[in-house]
């Protein structure tokens, strides 16, 4: 995994203090923590309905002392923004090209030295979508790491890390359970989020 803002000494400490102060000033509350003894996991990023999700996610990650990487469409990694997006923990994904992203992501998680939390938005887009993509599920299953159900509720100004979910391999049953948990949260543009 490449160096990010979360692993840059000095910057990390300063941005953690800024993030905690900014979120508190804006009335946000944070909750939860990583599972003990589990430095690697996949974080679900839901509901994902706005461009504002990225800066808030980065600030929550700093405040909760996470070392995150996140996946985004390759268009936001074009010059001149590419180096900055990678430094913010971004990994470019080509949605048009069929590739073995699950296997590559799982292998990177397993090979990573130290704690790593890979954030994957199951909707795969900020637009309204009925079906969640299951990439996050299969990455966790293949790497044999837990899924941590991270959330951001704009209505209650509440964000954090929810329960740990361990994939059983029965993707349909597991996805029903995961989506049921997220029914309680409202994204910034909450009408675009379908939890059924």
């Amino acid at each position: 995994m490449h160096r990010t803002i979360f692993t840059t000494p000095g910057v990390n400490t300063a941005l953690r203090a800024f993030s905690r102060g900014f979120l508190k000033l804006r009335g946000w509350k944070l909750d939860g923590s990583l599972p003990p003894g589990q430095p690697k996991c996949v974080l679900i990023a839901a509901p994902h309905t706005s461009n504002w999700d990225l800066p808030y996610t980065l600030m929550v990650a700093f405040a909760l002392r996470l070392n995150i990487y996140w996946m985004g469409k390759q268009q936001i990694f074009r010059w001149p923004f590419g180096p900055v997006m990678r430094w913010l923990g971004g990994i470019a994904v080509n949605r048009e090209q069929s590739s073995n992203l699950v296997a590559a992501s799982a292998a990177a998680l397993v090979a990573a030295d130290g704690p790593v939390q890979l954030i994957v938005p199951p909707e795969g887009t900020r637009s309204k979508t009925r079906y969640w993509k299951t990439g996050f599920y299969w990455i966790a299953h293949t790497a044999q790491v837990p899924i941590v159900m991270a959330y951001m509720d704009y209505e209650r100004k509440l964000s954090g890390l929810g329960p740990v979910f361990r994939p059983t391999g029965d993707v349909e049953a597991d996805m029903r359970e995961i989506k049921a948990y997220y029914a309680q949260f409202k994204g910034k543009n909450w009408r675009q989020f379908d939890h059924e």
Side-chain angles (χ1 to χ4, degrees):
M1 297 283 197
H2 56 274
R3 176 178 282 275
T4 70
I5 197 169
F6 299 97
T7 56
T8 304
V11 175
N12 184 305
T13 305
L15 287 177
R16 179 173 297 120
F18 169 81
S19 298
R20 293 178 76 174
F22 181 87
L23 291 167
K24 186 175 182 180
L25 188 67
R26 300 288 296 168
W28 281 81
K29 295 185 183 105
L30 302 180
D31 189 32
S33 60
L34 289 173
Q38 188 66 59
K40 298 177 185 179
C41 61
V42 171
L43 299 181
I44 297 175
H48 178 39
T49 63
S50 165
N51 284 331
W52 284 105
D53 294 346
L54 177 58
Y56 275 108
T57 295
L58 294 173
M59 286 187 283
V60 169
F62 275 117
L64 294 179
R65 297 180 181 272
L66 304 179
N67 182 28
I68 65 165
Y69 289 83
W70 48 274
M71 295 182 175
K73 61 183 179 180
Q74 67 177 6
Q75 287 85 344
I76 65 173
F77 289 86
R78 290 182 182 150
W79 178 260
F81 304 109
V84 173
M85 290 299 179
R86 287 189 210 28
W87 191 53
L88 293 175
I91 299 169
V93 174
N94 184 350
R95 293 182 185 167
E96 279 81 45
Q97 184 179 337
S98 148
S99 61
N100 203 345
L101 186 61
V102 167
S105 300
L109 260 179
V110 171
D113 184 22
V116 174
Q117 296 84 47
L118 179 64
I119 295 182
V120 185
E123 295 103 325
T125 177
R126 294 178 318 278
S127 305
K128 182 172 178 63
T129 181
R130 181 159 181 80
Y131 300 103
W132 279 17
K133 297 181 183 300
T134 58
F136 75 91
Y137 180 91
W138 293 115
I139 291 168
H141 187 267
T142 305
Q144 297 185 349
V145 299
I147 294 169
V148 176
M149 298 200 273
Y151 57 86
M152 191 165 291
D153 190 322
Y154 282 82
E155 185 174 75
R156 292 180 287 173
K157 292 194 171 180
L158 178 65
S159 185
L161 304 177
V164 172
F165 188 91
R166 298 200 178 268
T168 66
D170 184 345
V171 66
E172 288 186 16
D174 287 352
M175 288 294 281
R176 277 194 301 272
E177 191 174 335
I178 290 168
K179 289 183 90 173
Y181 172 76
Y182 280 97
Q184 64 187 301
F185 302 116
K186 286 192 174 179
K188 187 166 182 59
N189 302 310
W190 61 270
R191 287 181 181 86
Q192 294 174 195
F193 180 61
D194 192 337
H195 59 267
E196 294 177 7

